[in-house]
């Protein structure tokens, strides 16, 4: 195939930045990350985000945030806490059924 | 940790069903492979918009013009999502776009062919989108997490496109003799490119993308699923499919084609960017890249004024 002779013109460092987009379909839902766009400022990023992520009415509210302003954290060891912290979860209180039966029989004994 | 140790750890992570995020450590081969794969997908979305755009003026009603226009916008939107994911792997959009228009990078084989009439819109919208959906649905299980997230959205929209294509097909299939002839003509021309769409038999031992679950299924496996699912749908409308003629395999009771019946020469030419429409379509892309240069520059200027 014949190659084009046009070369990309060297531009000064592009000022376009990455913006992360979060979307919410209504007041009962949380905002969810839905993608990112590139734009020179937040106004243009919002225009792009609306066109890219709400074309079919999927979102009623958008957050558009410069990626550089987002602080991220992740830790794969998170599921294994150093100490037993099961008391923070409902399953730690499963024997409440047994305890209820016990308390009932005690109450009946007292009534007699 | 040495490079080899990290590599071993990475493979163990993948083998254990782990996913990879853009900021994670990954072997250079993984980064380059995923980047090339997603870049090709993005190129295909944006190049695929061209043959469909060509159909808009010839669409038979205002409603069909509007729905096809919306579909073209969706395809360009998919390209935007995919280029963003690819950019985060380390290649700028400008560089990817430049490699596309200068013929250095590739796009899917089916977009190297001409379109002639509304029958093409039917076959592209139904069978080619159907083939794309079989492939893309398999990629939802890919190990590269940012890719799977955009694919979820892309597959949802492709489902709609498939329904839209089936709607056009069924309208032609239940229409006049001339409408049915248009559909048959398009099927005759598109059948071999659709078979090629999935690519030649995968080399399972050598394909790093399969080993690292970037791709989850072999080319022949995806082609087999497509054939078994779509051949009966075409035949029940009383249309014929040309070479490679599909038949129902007696043992497996699945619709298949004979591998020996597939002529791979046209695909080999397309891989060298020497397809029937390659030059003209890339020319259109190049022209729009040049015509829209002022938009990109104006966007940059706006910031320098605001700053």
């Amino acid at each position: 195939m014949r190659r084009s002779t046009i070369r990309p013109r060297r531009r000064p460092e592009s000022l376009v930045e990455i913006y992360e987009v979060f979307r919410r379909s209504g007041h009962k839902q949380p905002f969810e990350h839905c993608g990112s766009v590139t734009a020179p400022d937040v106004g243009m990023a919002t225009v792009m985000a609306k066109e890219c992520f709400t074309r079919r009415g999927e979102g009623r509210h958008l957050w558009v945030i410069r990626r550089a302003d987002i602080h991220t954290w992740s830790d794969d060891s998170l599921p294994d806490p150093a100490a037993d912290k099961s008391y923070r979860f409902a399953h730690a209180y499963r024997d409440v059924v047994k305890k209820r039966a016990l308390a009932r029989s005690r109450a009946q004994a007292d009534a007699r | 940790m040495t490079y080899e140790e990290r590599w071993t750890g990475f493979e163990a992570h993948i083998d254990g069903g782990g996913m990879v995020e853009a900021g994670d450590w990954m072997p250079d081969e993984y980064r380059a492979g995923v980047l090339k794969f997603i870049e090709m997908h993005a190129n295909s979305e944006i190049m695929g918009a061209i043959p469909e755009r060509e159909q808009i003026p010839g669409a038979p009603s205002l409603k069909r013009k509007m729905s096809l226009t919306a579909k073209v916008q969706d395809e360009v939107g998919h390209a935007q999502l995919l280029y963003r994911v690819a950019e985060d792997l380390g290649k700028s959009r400008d560089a990817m776009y430049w490699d596309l228009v200068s013929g250095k990078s590739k796009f899917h084989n089916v977009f190297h062919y001409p379109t002639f009439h509304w029958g093409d819109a039917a076959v592209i919208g139904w069978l080619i989108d159907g083939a794309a959906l079989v492939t893309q649905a398999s990629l939802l299980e890919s190990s590269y997490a940012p890719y799977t997230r955009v694919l979820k959205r892309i597959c949802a929209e492709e489902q709609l496109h498939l329904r839209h294509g089936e709607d056009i097909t069924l309208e032609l299939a239940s229409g006049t003799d001339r409408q049915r002839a248009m559909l048959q003509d398009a099927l005759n021309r598109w059948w071999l490119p659709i078979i090629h769409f999935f690519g030649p038999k995968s080399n399972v031992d050598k394909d790093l993308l399969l080993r690292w679950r970037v791709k989850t299924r072999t080319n022949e496996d995806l082609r087999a699923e497509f054939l078994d699912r779509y051949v009966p749908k075409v035949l029940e409308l009383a249309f014929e499919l040309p070479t490679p003629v599909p038949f129902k395999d007696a043992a497996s009771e699945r619709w298949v084609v004979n591998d020996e019946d597939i002529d791979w020469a046209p695909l080999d030419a397309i891989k060298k960017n020497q397809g029937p429409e390659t030059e003209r379509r890339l020319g259109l892309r190049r022209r729009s890249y040049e015509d829209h240069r002022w938009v990109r520059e104006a966007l940059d200027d706006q910031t320098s004024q605001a700053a």
Side-chain angles (χ1 to χ4, degrees):
Chain A
M1 190 199 97
R2 203 170 51 83
R3 290 277 160 86
S4 167
T5 52
I6 315 167
R7 297 267 110 202
R9 201 191 303 165
R10 280 237 72 79
R11 278 184 284 152
E13 186 80 3
S14 174
L15 297 164
V16 167
E17 284 191 274
I18 299 169
Y19 288 82
E20 297 293 345
V21 183
F22 298 77
R23 165 176 86 183
R24 177 169 77 178
S25 54
H27 289 284
K28 289 186 176 174
Q29 275 79 39
F31 276 92
E32 266 188 20
H33 182 244
C34 60
S36 57
V37 294
T38 51
D41 62 25
V42 73
M44 193 53 75
T46 308
V47 171
M48 303 279 196
K50 274 161 69 179
E51 196 58 42
C52 285
F53 299 110
T54 63
R55 278 207 302 285
R56 294 193 167 84
E58 305 96 323
R60 300 175 68 86
H61 311 106
L62 284 180
W63 281 350
V64 178
I65 303 147
R66 225 159 55 102
R67 178 183 278 182
D69 291 336
I70 297 180
H71 300 269
T72 62
W73 179 81
S74 76
D75 183 354
D76 286 340
S77 67
L78 193 62
D80 323 307
D84 177 10
K85 296 196 176 170
S86 57
Y87 51 82
R88 285 185 172 157
F89 299 91
H91 66 73
Y93 306 98
R94 258 187 309 211
D95 58 352
V96 75
V97 179
K98 255 186 257 165
K99 283 181 176 154
R100 189 183 295 126
L102 211 64
R104 271 197 193 124
S105 57
R106 163 72 197 274
Q108 280 165 5
D110 281 0
R112 243 178 260 136
Chain B
M1 245 196 290
T2 66
Y3 190 79
E4 280 68 31
E5 283 165 352
R6 289 190 143 182
W7 177 298
T8 312
F10 179 83
E11 292 223 302
H13 175 68
I14 295 286
D15 289 345
M19 314 260 305
V20 182
E21 293 288 348
D24 295 350
W25 186 89
M26 59 187 96
D28 296 343
E29 289 84 349
Y30 183 92
R31 178 182 300 276
V34 174
L35 173 57
K36 195 174 165 196
F37 191 78
I38 298 175
E39 183 179 357
M40 153 94 170
H41 186 174
N43 288 346
S44 303
E45 295 281 0
I46 208 165
M47 293 305 289
I50 301 180
E52 300 219 271
R53 185 189 68 179
E54 289 167 1
Q55 298 289 334
I56 297 171
S61 67
L62 182 60
K63 190 180 152 223
R64 290 290 189 204
K65 283 183 175 51
M66 305 258 285
S67 58
L68 200 54
T69 307
K71 187 183 170 193
V72 168
Q73 188 186 14
D74 282 348
E75 308 294 10
V76 175
H78 295 170
Q80 131 72 21
L81 292 168
L82 292 160
Y83 279 130
R84 273 277 45 258
V85 171
E87 271 183 298
D88 284 345
L89 285 163
K91 185 171 177 181
S92 77
R93 185 178 310 212
D94 229 27
M96 286 188 276
Y97 217 89
W98 180 250
D99 282 350
L100 172 65
V101 296
S102 60
K104 246 182 90 183
S105 55
K106 305 276 180 277
F107 58 99
H108 252 308
N109 74 308
V110 284
F111 307 125
H112 293 254
Y113 288 92
T115 61
F116 298 97
H117 50 64
W118 192 239
D120 293 298
V123 173
I124 292 174
W126 186 38
L127 294 184
I128 291 180
D129 280 17
L133 198 53
V134 168
T135 307
Q136 287 166 8
S138 80
L139 294 167
L140 287 169
E141 302 302 319
S142 170
S143 62
Y144 191 58
Y147 190 34
T148 65
R149 288 194 290 268
V150 297
L151 276 168
K152 237 168 102 179
R153 151 90 180 272
I154 292 174
C155 284
E157 286 178 359
E158 291 294 346
Q159 284 285 1
L160 167 85
H161 296 172
L162 180 63
R163 189 53 63 90
H164 167 257
E166 193 176 9
D167 189 75
I168 298 174
T169 301
L170 295 175
E171 193 168 85
L172 289 181
S174 51
T176 62
D177 287 352
R178 191 169 137 65
Q179 282 175 311
R180 286 187 58 91
M182 279 165 73
L183 191 56
Q184 183 63 59
D185 174 62
L187 284 169
N188 293 345
R189 282 181 287 106
W190 287 104
W191 185 241
L192 184 60
I194 289 171
I195 297 288
H196 289 161
F197 179 84
F198 299 93
K201 206 168 180 313
S202 294
N203 186 340
V204 183
D205 295 328
K206 284 206 176 143
D207 197 332
L208 281 174
L209 293 182
L210 276 173
R211 174 160 136 201
W212 286 330
R213 279 192 301 107
V214 176
K215 294 191 287 188
T216 58
R217 291 167 61 190
T218 62
N219 293 346
E220 57 274 23
D221 186 23
L222 294 167
R223 180 164 36 241
E225 180 184 331
F226 170 80
L227 288 171
D228 195 50
R229 209 193 283 183
Y230 284 90
V231 167
K233 291 182 200 267
V234 176
L235 298 185
E236 79 172 2
L237 300 174
F239 288 96
E240 283 169 17
L241 290 168
T243 316
V245 180
F247 60 93
K248 197 163 192 173
D249 182 58
S252 67
E253 295 203 351
R254 287 171 69 90
W255 286 93
V256 296
V257 298
N258 272 328
D259 283 348
E260 311 84 74
D261 293 344
I262 306 173
D263 173 14
W264 292 103
L267 185 65
D268 293 337
I270 284 169
K271 279 184 184 162
K272 291 181 227 146
N273 266 343
Q274 291 167 351
E277 284 288 275
T278 314
E279 187 62 45
R280 194 180 68 83
R281 294 249 167 82
L282 283 178
L284 288 170
R285 262 295 152 240
R286 207 146 44 217
R287 207 172 68 206
S288 82
Y289 181 72
E290 286 302 315
D291 287 352
H292 297 159
R293 178 186 292 283
W294 69 270
V295 179
R296 297 191 295 277
E297 291 183 350
L299 285 174
D300 264 3
D301 280 352
Q302 186 186 326
T303 315
S304 47
Q305 276 165 18

